[in-house]
Amino acid sequence: MRTTTANDCFEALGSAISFARMLQFGESMFPIGGFSFSCALESAVQKGVVTDASTLRAFTLTAVEQAARGDGIAVIAAHRAASAGDVDALIHIDGEVYARKLSDEARLMSVRMGKRFTEMGAQVIGAPLLRKWLECIDASVVMGCYPVALGMNFAIQNLTAQQAFVVLQYGTASTILSAALRLMKISHVETQRILFDLSGLTEAAYESAARAHLSSMASYAPLAEILAAIHTKAHVRLFMS
C-alpha cells in the first residue's frame, strides 16, 4: 500500500485552494449583477417560444453552445494573454468580443458584468494587471467585456483556462435556469436536471474552443438574437436582457 507523503498533502491543499477560488469567483451569487439578466429568456417566455421543461432545455442548450463558440474562445485567449502579461493582446481580444455582441442588451450585460468582475478582482486579489485593466476601462481604452475579465482573473490566480471556461458555461446555463424559476411554471428539480444534463457537454466544448483561433468566434443564433432585440421594446420587463 502506498504511504501518503507530505508532498501529497501539499498538492491536495493546493488543489483544494484552487477549487475553492474557482467556486468563489464562479458562483452565481458573486456580486457582479448576473441575476439581473435572463439572456433573452424573458422574451422567449412572453412569445411562447419557451413553455415547458423541454423547450427550456433546448433554449438553454442553444445559449451554452453559443457561449462556447464565442465567449468561450475569448476566455481561453484572454487567459493565455494574461498569463503572458500581454496587455495589447487583451485589448484586441476585448474589441473582438464586443464587436460580436449584436444586441444592445448583450453588450450591456457583457460590459457591466465585466467591469464589476474586474473591480471585485482588483479589490479582493489586488493584482497589478487587474488594476491596470480597470484603468483601461475607466479611460474607455477598452469596453471591458466579461469573458476577458474572467480569463484574466483566473490566469492571475493560477487557475486554468479550462476552469475559466467551465465557469463561463455553467454561469450561462445557471443564469437562464434561475431566471426560468421566476418567469414560468417549472420546478427546481426540472431546472437542476437540465443543468446536470448540459454540464456533461462542457468538456467536449472546451476541447473544441481550445483548438479554435480568436478569429473563428461565431456565436450567432438567429432566434436568440431576434428575441434579444424584441426584449428592448417590451412594455413589461423583469430582467435587463
Side-chain angles (χ1 to χ4, degrees):
M1 178 180 293
R2 182 176 179 273
T3 302
T4 301
T5 65
N7 190 56
D8 291 330
C9 294
F10 178 79
E11 290 179 358
L13 177 61
S15 177
I17 291 172
S18 294
F19 186 57
R21 298 268 168 80
M22 176 186 173
L23 290 176
Q24 178 183 355
F25 285 85
E27 63 112 0
S28 60
M29 293 303 293
F30 195 71
I32 57 174
F35 64 88
S36 300
F37 302 93
S38 78
C39 301
L41 179 66
E42 186 166 24
S43 290
V45 172
Q46 291 172 346
K47 298 301 179 180
V49 174
V50 173
T51 58
D52 55 18
S54 178
T55 50
L56 176 61
R57 183 196 181 282
F59 182 89
T60 310
L61 174 60
T62 297
V64 296
E65 290 178 340
Q66 188 180 23
R69 296 192 306 269
D71 286 354
I73 295 173
V75 162
I76 297 167
H79 188 281
R80 292 168 180 166
S83 296
D86 191 341
V87 177
D88 289 338
L90 289 167
I91 292 172
H92 174 69
I93 296 165
D94 189 75
E96 292 294 303
V97 172
Y98 188 77
R100 285 167 171 78
K101 301 297 180 186
L102 301 186
S103 73
D104 291 339
E105 291 181 350
R107 297 189 195 106
L108 175 65
M109 179 178 180
S110 190
V111 299
R112 183 166 293 186
M113 290 177 61
K115 180 175 182 179
R116 188 59 183 149
F117 197 78
T118 303
E119 288 174 339
M120 288 297 297
Q123 292 169 12
V124 173
I125 304 169
L129 182 57
L130 290 178
R131 289 195 291 267
K132 181 175 181 62
W133 190 248
L134 186 57
E135 290 173 0
C136 288
I137 295 172
D138 289 338
S140 299
V141 174
V142 296
M143 298 307 299
C145 296
Y146 173 68
V148 179
L150 175 60
M152 186 187 314
N153 182 301
F154 274 43
I156 288 168
Q157 295 192 69
N158 292 320
L159 300 173
T160 68
Q162 185 179 50
Q163 288 173 313
F165 183 88
V166 168
V167 165
L168 175 76
Q169 296 298 98
Y170 182 87
T172 300
S174 63
T175 294
I176 293 170
L177 295 172
S178 176
L181 292 167
R182 288 176 275 174
L183 289 168
M184 57 189 292
K185 187 177 180 180
I186 194 164
S187 71
H188 286 280
V189 172
E190 290 172 305
T191 57
Q192 287 301 312
R193 188 180 291 125
I194 294 169
L195 184 59
F196 183 85
D197 182 27
L198 297 184
S199 293
L201 307 175
T202 306
E203 186 172 358
Y206 169 74
E207 291 174 356
S208 178
R211 293 192 300 268
H213 188 272
L214 185 67
S215 62
S216 67
M217 284 193 300
S219 59
Y220 181 59
L223 181 56
E225 299 296 348
I226 291 170
L227 289 169
I230 289 172
H231 191 265
T232 63
K233 304 295 184 181
H235 293 293
V236 178
R237 293 192 296 177
L238 179 62
F239 293 90
M240 296 182 68
S241 73

